[in-house]
Amino acid sequence: MRLPLSWLCDFTSLDLPLDDVLATLNDLGLAVESVERVGEGLDGVVAARVLDIAAIPGADRIRAVTVDAGTSAPVPVVCGAWNFTEGDLVPLATVGTVLPGGLEITARRMKGAPSEGMLCAPDELGLPGGHDGILVLDDDAVPGSPVGEVLGIRPDVVVDLEVNANRPDAMSVVGVARDLAARLGLAFAIPEPKVLPTEGVLSAPVEVDDPVGCGRFVAQVLTGLTVGPSPAWLARRLTLAGMRPINNVVDASNYVMLELGQPTHPYDRRRLAGGGLRVRRARPGETLVTLDGSERSLHSADLVICDADDQPVGIAGIMGGASSEIDPTTTEVVLEAAWFDPLSISTSSRRLKLRSEASARFEKGCDWAGIDRAVARFCELLAPSGAVPAGPAADVVGQLPERPPVRLRTSRVNQVLGTDLDDGRIAGYLDPIGFTTTPVAEGALDVELPSWRLDSGTEIDVIEEVARLHGYRAITPTLPRSALTGGLTPYQRDRRTVRQILVGAGADEAWSATFVSSDDLERCLLDRREAVVVTNPLVAAESLLRTSLLPGLVGAVAANARRRQPGVALFEVGHTFRRPPPGQQLPDEVEAAAYAAAGRDAAEAVTAWHLVAEGLVLTDWSLEATTAAGLHPTRTAQVVVAGEAVGVVGEIDPAVLAAHEIGERVAWLELDLGHLLGAGHGNDRYRPVSRFPSSDIDLAFEVDVATPAAAVARTLSRAGADLVVDVALFDVYRGDQLAAGRRSLAFTVRFQAPDRTLTDEEVATARARLVAAVEASHPAVLRA
Amino acid sequence: MSPSPSPSRPWADLVADAVARVAAARDAAELRRLDVELLGRQSAMVAARAALASLPPEERRVAGRALNEARAAVEEALVARRRALEDEERSARLEAERMDLTEVRPTRRRGHLHLVTQARDRLEDVFVGMGYVVADGPEAETDWYNFEALNFPAGHPARNMYDTLYLELGPPESTLLRTHTSPVQVRVMEATTPPIYAVMPGRCYRQDTADASHLPNFHQIEGLVVDRGISFADLAGTLDAFTQAYFGAGIRSRLRPSYFPFTEPSAEFDITCVFCKGDGCRSCGRTGWLELGGCGMVHPNVFRAVGYDPEEWTGFAFGFGIDRMTAQRHGIDDLRELVTNDVRFLRQF
């Protein structure tokens, strides 16, 4: 909210340095977003009457202008603007003036013509209105008058405050002034508006069908007004506060809203059928053209204001309709000032995607008790235009929130805040901000809640006010003493280990988006029907949740390749999502770890898996050939740990790589961390290392290609009973010496007993057992 | 021609000659031959030793000493030469193995953890050191955990502070991507009884267009303390202790009133600008402070939602964005740099 500090001074006397004002605002929770000094740099700019405009020989864009600036001699100036004529009153920046933009005016000659000053466009004076032409002033000023005086501009400071969602009162000048005055110990008062008493009897009939949605509705008829521009001081304040002056009626309404926080709406009484108003819920199918010219479809939850013919003329608390808008011919106004249920306004505003200054206030909760003052202030502001109240205001009170007093315990205040305040100090903080305290017992106060702080309703709300006025920084920090010990869970430690292993394997950690598009999944051959749909994505690329880390990492590999970084290895740890089975609300959400190595084949991914298994000290695991969406159909295996599938390893499908224009193989490993780390791993039991000699033998088998090497190795291990301590595949041969569909697998088998040196006979017997087992279990024969 | 063995003969000439020959030996074989010749069974010294027995006792002692000294001198020369030859041989062998280590092209490289992971790990470690546990939770959440239990009733205007992304699961707007890590607070409280000292890092989502200072998915860390007698002063002290532990001794924190539905009193917390140390610079808008996050005392309604008695337990919560803080610290002007996955970025940290 933009707030000229001069406006605050209507309610309290802020005679302290600007920095102190800003610091106090911040301390009160009214965060200062920016500070702007305005109206400075106008010293030396005066009103000047144009006496003569003449061409300059040889120049077709600039002219020689002579002005009367109230000095004894006319002043010559050269000017490039053409929007004024002889007799106009314009601003002249005299020689020596430094304009708000920093430009210093000097006397000089242009194309031979003397120029002793500069005629100014609005922007050159720091005013709205642009640079299209010279600012032409109201005609009744005396040449030589300071232009600041003519325009009603004084140096001022505009602060932009970030107002928290719980502070509707702070969206007004009086609300901010009240807080500041209370914190600084200054007097604060809102002057009573002076309104001429009315003897008329003209009022607007008001009907409220929904007393819950509309807790109070006041309508005041004003007659005899002339629509025209607002007085300069009022327009200036609106401008500084960031609102565009429109006409005196609309401006007065806006001014009251900015000053008091109460939105009002003026209707042209003659364009309001029946001259009355009715508040009801909209009917399905009803539409309304709002002030911004858009046609809005209404919903039965929206509260609307209708005329006496039951035609909607406004969306309650959000925006008025175009049909009863104030125009230059308006002479009679019905002013609406109401209190609407915050929830109703926020729901409609959100559904209609229509927010206004009014809805921003109503949805946070306005001050129903302040409505009379707001109406009176509107009448007061509009009185110079001839407007007079035509009769008593209609006032319909519906259901307003109950505001019982809050019992505040001093002990609770001190317990929550860690302070040592007594009843008197607490009352001293609360009373000036309208939280009126009554002592009920030692250590207990009853607090009447102000009607402008609808956010406040319970003891903790009041404690927050005490803290705010006491000052957060006045609370001495302490450290809680915990009897607990901190730490990571085993899962969290292992997750870090997995990251470190993959880093050790040479991969850099990526962070890809959780969102994917349908195309992303399709390019990765993943089934989009498994993906969870985002209801309200901003862009199509964010319309689904990833079902795998594949789209993100393959995209990252491709992006690096495009930047001439082929051969990258990347990994990511992140959540993936799948549609839940029926009856489950939340998706199947998995924390996955994936590794992609470009320019490497499946062997690299298997090696990475071996590193993970080694790092986690996994003993019971195997790889089993499989197929998986997006992965190479003949180079993929399932990773099985303790009988449970925990992931896949292999290569990315060449079709996926082609779709991403990746010209190299990409090794792939993806693990479900929950399953992987949930399976037993690590070893906490020492197994004695045998001190007796071991014997190695080499065995080469000719095996069918469909038989996994791991299956043969497993047979060797099992057949060796307790004597085989290691089986290592050391050579694989395919070639001419073997039949098609056969290959040779050569293993080194190490025999060792824990308690003795094995004899040659024992090793020979075991060897025979191993060979027999392999030949019996697999389509395999020992090679000579 | 070596001098003839005689127990009474002085050994000086023979030793001098032997030492000179040993010193001139060119290789180990020659040295072995000299060893045999000078000290072996056929040598003059061995013969002289045998002849000692025939001398009278007094002479025998004198001659024996002379012989021992002579033998020791020759042995010493042999050992010295043997060592010297070994050294030469080793030097020659090593010289032949000389490698230019700058020729090496590494066949393996180590990767890098993402900058944000590094920050997250460090944050976790600081809080673990302060006695906190780390809690994880799902990123897809129900309205209850993300809003309702956190004192955002349906239609509450504060819900508009979060540009929530909803999921097409269950009734409309019942399932969403968490907008903050706070749902994990509720899950932790539901699952345990106080005291609780926990931090909750993780990924969050907002319906936001990615730009230099916003990402639609981003990371937060949140803290929750629930215990008997926890006060706002404890919150201030905890944040100050954390700030100094994480950012360095000169960096302090301050609290300013703010509003969040799930805490009351609520505050924004700022830290001393890490660039100018509080003097005021461009990064902090000349205020000397950087905005870090939000915090406050856990709202009694949140306790009620999880079945805690707010009269018995009090607590505080705080949270802040990891990405923006990290980017700022490392001079990364555009948050989107964090998600490019360009290895030229990833490998810098």
Side-chain angles (χ1 to χ4, degrees), chain B residues 24-149:
Chain B
R26 280 184 308 273
D27 55 29
E30 189 180 348
L31 208 56
R32 271 195 303 277
R33 280 196 306 277
L34 281 171
D35 194 347
V36 170
E37 180 192 328
L38 296 171
L39 303 173
R41 265 175 294 168
Q42 307 297 318
S43 66
M45 289 204 188
V46 169
R49 164 86 50 205
L52 282 177
S54 58
L55 293 180
E58 189 54 29
E59 266 182 60
R60 186 162 66 209
R61 210 173 53 246
V62 173
R65 190 182 301 129
L67 179 59
N68 285 343
E69 281 168 5
R71 189 179 173 95
V74 173
E75 276 174 353
E76 193 183 314
L78 281 166
V79 167
R81 185 58 188 156
R82 192 173 295 125
R83 270 201 202 119
L85 283 174
E86 278 168 9
D87 283 353
E88 275 169 31
E89 195 188 334
R90 177 180 140 83
S91 297
R93 196 170 61 233
L94 294 180
E95 189 53 43
E97 290 178 357
R98 181 173 290 281
M99 260 178 92
D100 173 6
L101 298 187
T102 64
E103 281 174 2
V104 173
R105 286 155 294 170
T107 52
R108 279 167 299 166
R109 56 173 298 278
R110 188 175 170 82
H112 295 252
L113 285 182
H114 196 283
L115 180 59
V116 169
T117 301
Q118 295 182 38
R120 175 184 157 155
D121 286 355
R122 265 202 66 213
L123 288 166
E124 288 177 356
D125 292 345
V126 167
F127 283 109
V128 164
M130 290 168 70
Y132 289 59
V133 297
V134 178
D136 297 310
E139 294 169 8
E141 270 294 7
T142 59
D143 181 84
W144 165 260
Y145 286 106
N146 197 75
F147 287 128
E148 192 87 31

Side-chain angles (χ1 to χ4, degrees), chain A residues 27 350 409 416 461 464 472 478 486 492 496 500 503 506 508-509 511 514 533 535-536 560 585 589, chain B residues 109-112 114 117 124 134 139 160 164 166 168 175 203 205 207 232 234 264 266 311 341 347:
Chain A
D27 275 0
R350 216 150 70 95
R409 295 163 293 168
V416 170
D461 297 329
E464 180 171 61
Y472 283 9
T478 50
Q492 290 160 348
R496 287 192 179 187
Q500 286 297 348
V503 162
D508 297 307
E509 188 180 17
W511 161 8
T514 308
V533 178
T535 310
N536 54 336
N560 275 291
Q585 185 182 354
E589 184 172 338
Chain B
R109 56 173 298 278
R110 188 175 170 82
H112 295 252
H114 196 283
T117 301
E124 288 177 356
V134 178
E139 294 169 8
N160 299 337
T164 309
Y166 290 97
E168 299 261 294
T175 314
R203 192 178 282 197
Y205 303 86
Q207 191 198 44
F232 194 85
D234 292 327
E264 192 162 25
S266 297
E311 288 292 315
N341 293 333
R347 290 175 187 167

Side-chain angles (χ1 to χ4, degrees), chain A residues 546-712:
Chain A
R546 60 185 175 190
T547 54
S548 158
L549 297 177
L550 184 63
L553 282 182
V554 81
V557 166
N560 275 291
R562 280 198 301 276
R563 296 175 201 130
R564 306 199 342 108
Q565 300 276 347
V568 299
L570 296 169
F571 80 96
E572 180 167 8
V573 174
H575 291 215
T576 60
F577 307 80
R578 273 167 207 277
R579 295 191 68 82
Q584 178 185 318
Q585 185 182 354
L586 289 178
D588 280 334
E589 184 172 338
V590 162
E591 186 160 48
Y595 161 90
R600 302 304 196 97
D601 66 12
E604 185 74 8
V606 173
T607 302
W609 162 250
H610 276 261
L611 296 177
V612 171
E614 199 66 39
L616 293 173
V617 194
L618 283 175
T619 42
D620 178 10
W621 64 267
S622 60
L623 301 182
E624 288 164 17
T626 188
T627 54
L631 301 189
H632 195 297
T634 58
R635 291 187 169 195
T636 297
Q638 199 164 48
V639 180
V640 178
V641 175
E644 193 181 8
V646 301
V648 284
V649 64
E651 255 174 69
I652 295 175
D653 192 318
V656 173
L657 299 177
H660 289 84
E661 294 174 358
I662 296 171
E664 48 190 352
R665 290 183 181 275
V666 180
W668 180 253
L669 169 67
E670 183 163 11
L671 300 165
D672 173 339
L673 282 183
H675 281 106
L676 171 67
L677 303 177
H681 61 275
N683 180 29
D684 46 29
R685 195 78 204 153
Y686 164 68
R687 219 172 40 241
V689 175
S690 174
R691 298 183 199 294
F692 294 91
S694 58
S695 320
D696 291 351
I697 59 164
D698 290 347
L699 293 173
F701 294 97
E702 188 188 315
V703 188
D704 199 277
V705 288
T707 304
V712 178

Side-chain angles (χ1 to χ4, degrees), chain A residues 106-326:
Chain A
T106 51
R108 52 194 190 138
R109 298 182 84 84
M110 292 164 84
K111 297 268 182 188
S115 187
E116 293 169 15
M118 188 178 96
L119 304 185
C120 302
D123 67 330
E124 287 159 343
L125 300 176
L127 301 173
H131 193 72
D132 291 343
I134 298 304
L135 176 65
V136 178
L137 302 166
D138 281 349
D139 211 22
D140 53 1
V142 179
S145 318
V147 83
E149 244 168 59
V150 175
L151 294 169
I153 294 170
R154 280 183 210 91
D156 204 343
V157 176
V158 179
V159 293
D160 194 1
L161 300 180
E162 188 193 343
V163 176
N164 290 318
N166 64 329
R167 290 296 305 278
D169 67 307
M171 294 183 80
S172 71
V173 178
V174 294
V176 174
R178 184 189 291 115
D179 251 22
L180 267 179
R183 181 64 189 272
L184 295 167
L186 303 172
F188 166 81
I190 310 175
E192 284 305 321
K194 293 178 195 65
V195 186
L196 292 174
T198 173
E199 287 172 10
V201 291
L202 188 58
S203 65
V206 171
E207 256 182 85
V208 175
D209 289 2
D210 187 336
V212 176
C214 176
R216 188 174 176 201
F217 196 98
V218 172
Q220 172 71 56
V221 180
L222 291 98
T223 53
L225 72 88
T226 307
V227 173
S230 289
W233 66 269
L234 192 151
R236 172 74 177 159
R237 277 192 169 171
L238 288 183
T239 305
L240 290 181
M243 294 192 93
R244 194 166 53 89
I246 294 168
N247 60 49
N248 51 357
V249 181
V250 174
D251 293 351
S253 172
N254 284 334
Y255 189 96
V256 168
M257 177 178 69
L258 292 173
E259 183 172 82
L260 301 175
Q262 172 67 47
T264 59
H265 185 75
Y267 300 88
D268 184 331
R269 184 166 174 274
R270 289 168 314 166
R271 301 170 70 186
L272 200 61
L277 295 168
R278 176 175 176 210
V279 188
R280 64 165 168 81
R281 295 283 162 184
R283 302 197 179 96
E286 256 179 337
T287 61
L288 174 70
V289 177
T290 42
L291 277 175
D292 57 1
S294 309
E295 178 163 352
R296 311 278 174 176
S297 304
L298 302 174
H299 187 270
S300 60
D302 300 329
L303 206 56
V304 289
I305 313 294
C306 300
D307 59 19
D309 284 354
D310 206 27
Q311 288 305 303
V313 291
I315 305 172
I318 299 177
M319 195 173 280
S323 66
S324 53
E325 189 178 357
I326 303 299

Side-chain angles (χ1 to χ4, degrees), chain A residues 331-634:
Chain A
T331 56
E332 296 180 359
V333 161
V334 177
L335 183 75
E336 164 201 319
W339 187 90
F340 299 110
D341 173 42
L343 189 54
S344 166
I345 301 299
S346 77
T347 308
S348 289
S349 159
R350 216 150 70 95
R351 196 187 59 71
L352 288 161
K353 294 188 171 56
L354 179 59
R355 286 175 60 74
S356 62
E357 291 284 339
S359 72
R361 287 167 173 81
F362 281 125
E363 71 176 20
K364 295 185 179 83
C366 285
D367 177 10
W368 62 78
I371 287 176
D372 308 281
R373 188 200 307 278
V375 172
R377 182 65 167 144
F378 178 86
C379 294
E380 181 185 48
L381 290 171
L382 215 49
S385 77
V388 288
D395 188 353
V396 177
V397 177
Q399 199 171 312
L400 291 167
E402 301 265 338
R403 305 279 284 161
V406 165
R407 175 65 52 86
L408 183 68
R409 295 163 293 168
T410 299
S411 59
R412 181 72 175 171
V413 171
N414 289 323
Q415 180 196 7
V416 170
L417 301 182
T419 48
D420 189 20
L421 302 174
D422 60 27
D423 301 2
R425 290 233 3 232
I426 292 171
Y429 290 136
L430 292 175
D431 288 325
I433 55 168
F435 287 70
T436 313
T437 58
T438 313
V440 286
E442 178 75 30
L445 297 168
D446 269 355
V447 183
E448 289 285 350
L449 304 172
S451 53
W452 59 82
R453 288 298 303 273
L454 200 54
D455 61 290
S456 225
T458 59
E459 187 182 34
I460 193 70
D461 297 329
V462 181
I463 291 174
E464 180 171 61
E465 294 307 306
V466 174
R468 219 166 51 80
L469 274 296
H470 177 63
Y472 283 9
R473 286 201 264 175
I475 296 172
T476 312
T478 50
L479 260 184
R481 275 194 300 268
S482 160
L484 303 178
T485 50
L488 299 179
T489 62
Y491 178 88
Q492 290 160 348
R493 284 200 307 271
D494 290 340
R495 183 172 56 193
R496 287 192 179 187
T497 303
V498 169
R499 277 195 162 102
Q500 286 297 348
I501 292 168
L502 294 174
V503 162
D508 297 307
E509 188 180 17
W511 161 8
S512 53
T514 308
F515 306 113
V516 290
S517 67
S518 202
D519 285 351
D520 292 335
L521 291 181
E522 210 163 277
R523 268 199 302 277
C524 288
L525 304 176
L526 298 172
D527 186 353
R528 65 147 294 161
R529 288 165 305 178
E530 291 179 350
V532 175
V533 178
V534 179
T535 310
N536 54 336
L538 277 189
V539 289
E542 296 172 3
S543 54
L544 300 170
L545 301 187
R546 60 185 175 190
T547 54
S548 158
L549 297 177
L550 184 63
L553 282 182
V554 81
V557 166
N560 275 291
R562 280 198 301 276
R563 296 175 201 130
R564 306 199 342 108
Q565 300 276 347
V568 299
L570 296 169
F571 80 96
E572 180 167 8
V573 174
H575 291 215
T576 60
F577 307 80
R578 273 167 207 277
R579 295 191 68 82
Q584 178 185 318
Q585 185 182 354
L586 289 178
D588 280 334
E589 184 172 338
V590 162
E591 186 160 48
Y595 161 90
R600 302 304 196 97
D601 66 12
E604 185 74 8
V606 173
T607 302
W609 162 250
H610 276 261
L611 296 177
V612 171
E614 199 66 39
L616 293 173
V617 194
L618 283 175
T619 42
D620 178 10
W621 64 267
S622 60
L623 301 182
E624 288 164 17
T626 188
T627 54
L631 301 189
H632 195 297
T634 58

